[in-house]
Amino acid sequence: MKNLLKKWNDTSLILRIILGLTAGILLALTMPQITVISILGTLFVNALKAIAPVLVFILVISSLAQAANGIGKRFRTVIFLYMLSTFLASVTAVFASYVFPVTLKLTEAVTDQIPPSGIMEVFHNLLNNIVSNPIAALMNGNYIGILAWSVILGLALKELASEQTKLLLKDLSEAVSQTVRWIINFAPVGILGLVFTSVSENGIAIFIDYSRLLALLVGCMLMIALIIDPLIVAICLHRNPYPLVYRCFKESGVTAFFTRSSAANIPVNMALCERLGLDKNIYSVSIPLGATINMNGAAITITVMTLAAAHTMGISVHISTAILLSLLSTLAACGASGVAGGSLLLIPMACSLFGISNDIAMQVVGVGFIIGVIQDSSETAINSAGDVLFAATAEFREWLKEGREVTF
């Protein structure tokens, strides 16, 4: 048994995930009544969600306390890349919705959550999250608040802490990182449970009526993931971007697809950044930041669903309004929650641009929840893979300027 376990652990994580994925599908098709299998997926996602806030808080404090001067330029670069990708995603969704207009078979909304009434409410919520109680931020997974307080504490410790304290923080960050590695090692079993739940509960028949909408959403996301984002990387690095793109999707996107949470995938992304040889001082901040503002998938969802609602209601969309929608979707996506379905509740706000009532907009949200198994999984995959892609691009760009070798 010990040798078998060692052989399993020595096998590539991706291969083990594929085996877990296959086993989950087979079990769901042959034994859907054994619902206890779903617990494996629930435990895995909950473990990731539990450790992620602690990981971000400790790593950011430790990194800033020990950081050298002059790293601000890399943060500016990665923030610019995150925002640029999100805006281009929204623009892509606008053009695709013009070329392939989709109408909806509206259904009753399946959520009792209240969406934000406007962009100012989104900003208001963001500002409140920044100054929320740090303990409450850790408990609730409020990453804006976690980042804000960890940055403040990290900068204070950089100026005031002794070397012994900084070493203690470093050891603590290594301990938390090791805990994350142990949890990620259970990804194949967790994904088995997640796939079993999705296939056994939903099947594929429910998606037939929404196949055109799903095709438009996933098509836009693939356009961003395989063309637009690689083009941005190629311009920045003057290198073939696809080896890096492929690695990000293989080692981050696959896991994010099944967890359906950018926040839960933060530990996975940090582990990938470590394997890429990136500076821990940088990625310990840029990765959780990306999980908050790098939301190209969310921008696509908001834009496509809003324009589908407009087409359904027979509303003519002028180009100036479409441009305004792109800007609004970009800003709104940055305020989307890093959990499953977080972007859907921002659809009513975007629908208000076209005078679409909240009742109709919430029915569109209901459609979003129905197709969420595919839509939200795909959205999270490109969001999370993009976090690593642009964090790596910003750092590799500086390496090239310094004459260092860059390999993916």
Side-chain angles (χ1 to χ4, degrees):
M1 178 62 72
K2 187 176 180 180
N3 290 336
L4 185 63
L5 190 62
K6 184 178 185 302
K7 187 173 182 180
W8 170 258
N9 288 330
D10 290 341
T11 304
S12 165
L13 180 62
I14 299 302
L15 179 58
R16 284 184 281 153
I17 287 175
I18 292 172
L19 291 174
L21 171 62
T22 305
I25 293 173
L26 292 176
L27 287 171
L29 295 176
T30 57
M31 294 180 288
Q33 69 278 9
I34 308 180
T35 55
V36 69
I37 298 174
S38 300
I39 296 176
L40 297 173
T42 302
L43 290 174
F44 175 63
V45 173
N46 286 346
L48 284 174
K49 287 182 177 179
I51 195 63
V54 179
L55 175 71
V56 170
F57 192 67
I58 295 298
L59 284 190
V60 172
I61 290 177
S62 176
S63 296
L64 290 179
Q66 302 173 74
N69 295 321
I71 62 175
K73 185 176 181 181
R74 298 186 198 180
F75 286 128
R76 289 194 295 271
T77 300
V78 75
I79 291 171
F80 172 77
L81 293 176
Y82 285 158
M83 297 302 295
L84 175 63
S85 175
T86 302
F87 176 70
L88 292 178
S90 184
V91 171
T92 299
V94 166
F95 279 104
S97 296
Y98 269 106
V99 177
F100 304 104
V102 171
T103 56
L104 304 174
K105 293 181 180 179
L106 296 179
T107 181
E108 292 301 319
V110 294
T111 176
D112 57 0
Q113 293 176 276
I114 301 174
S117 59
I119 193 67
M120 290 309 297
E121 184 175 344
V122 173
F123 285 136
H124 183 265
N125 291 338
L126 284 174
L127 291 174
N128 280 337
N129 285 337
I130 288 174
V131 295
S132 66
N133 182 289
I135 304 300
L138 284 167
M139 292 176 61
N140 299 325
N142 167 19
Y143 287 92
I144 290 289
I146 292 170
L147 275 172
W149 287 111
S150 57
V151 166
I152 291 170
L153 288 171
L155 292 175
L157 286 168
K158 180 179 172 62
E159 297 297 325
L160 303 173
S162 65
E163 288 303 316
Q164 290 85 349
T165 301
K166 292 179 180 179
L167 285 174
L168 176 62
L169 286 170
K170 182 178 180 181
D171 289 342
L172 190 57
S173 70
E174 289 296 332
V176 175
S177 298
Q178 182 60 49
T179 304
V180 168
R181 295 186 194 103
W182 288 338
I183 294 173
I184 292 174
N185 208 38
F186 286 95
V189 179
I191 286 176
L192 184 154
L194 292 168
V195 172
F196 176 87
T197 302
S198 296
V199 175
S200 62
E201 291 184 358
N202 297 284
I204 60 172
I206 196 172
F207 303 117
I208 293 176
D209 286 342
Y210 302 104
S211 57
R212 291 190 66 214
L213 176 61
L214 278 170
L216 180 59
L217 284 166
V218 175
C220 288
M221 292 177 191
L222 289 175
M223 173 74 74
I224 290 296
L226 301 179
I227 298 177
I228 304 298
D229 284 355
L231 181 61
I232 294 173
V233 175
I235 292 172
C236 289
L237 301 182
H238 305 289
R239 295 281 195 282
N240 175 12
Y242 287 101
L244 180 59
V245 171
Y246 172 72
R247 186 168 183 184
C248 289
F249 271 92
K250 183 180 74 171
E251 300 186 33
S252 170
V254 170
T255 308
F257 184 90
F258 294 107
T259 62
R260 294 175 61 194
S261 171
S262 297
N265 217 50
I266 287 174
V268 177
N269 282 350
M270 287 196 174
L272 175 53
C273 287
E274 183 179 1
R275 291 192 294 275
L276 287 169
L278 304 185
D279 186 346
K280 194 172 184 178
N281 292 330
I282 305 296
Y283 73 71
S284 63
V285 178
S286 60
I287 290 300
L289 183 63
T292 304
I293 69 171
N294 181 40
M295 291 289 181
N296 38 25
I300 288 170
T301 296
I302 295 167
T303 303
V304 167
M305 298 294 282
T306 299
L307 290 176
H311 293 144
T312 300
M313 302 299 293
I315 299 172
S316 178
V317 181
H318 191 269
I319 186 64
S320 60
T321 310
I323 293 172
L324 182 59
L325 175 63
S326 296
L327 292 171
L328 179 63
S329 297
T330 300
L331 295 174
C334 294
S337 172
V339 297
S343 61
L344 296 177
L345 291 177
L346 295 169
I347 292 171
M349 180 184 67
C351 283
S352 65
L353 275 178
F354 304 98
I356 298 173
S357 70
N358 194 58
D359 288 341
I360 297 297
M362 286 307 292
Q363 291 186 53
V364 176
V365 173
V367 173
F369 275 98
I370 289 174
I371 64 173
V373 175
I374 295 177
Q375 170 268 324
D376 197 47
S377 296
S378 302
E379 174 184 315
T380 308
I382 70 164
N383 286 345
S384 191
D387 294 346
V388 182
L389 180 67
F390 292 124
T393 298
E395 186 157 348
F396 289 155
R397 187 167 180 264
E398 295 302 315
W399 288 11
L400 292 172
K401 289 181 179 179
E402 296 168 3
R404 297 169 60 183
E405 183 179 354
V406 171
T407 57
F408 305 146

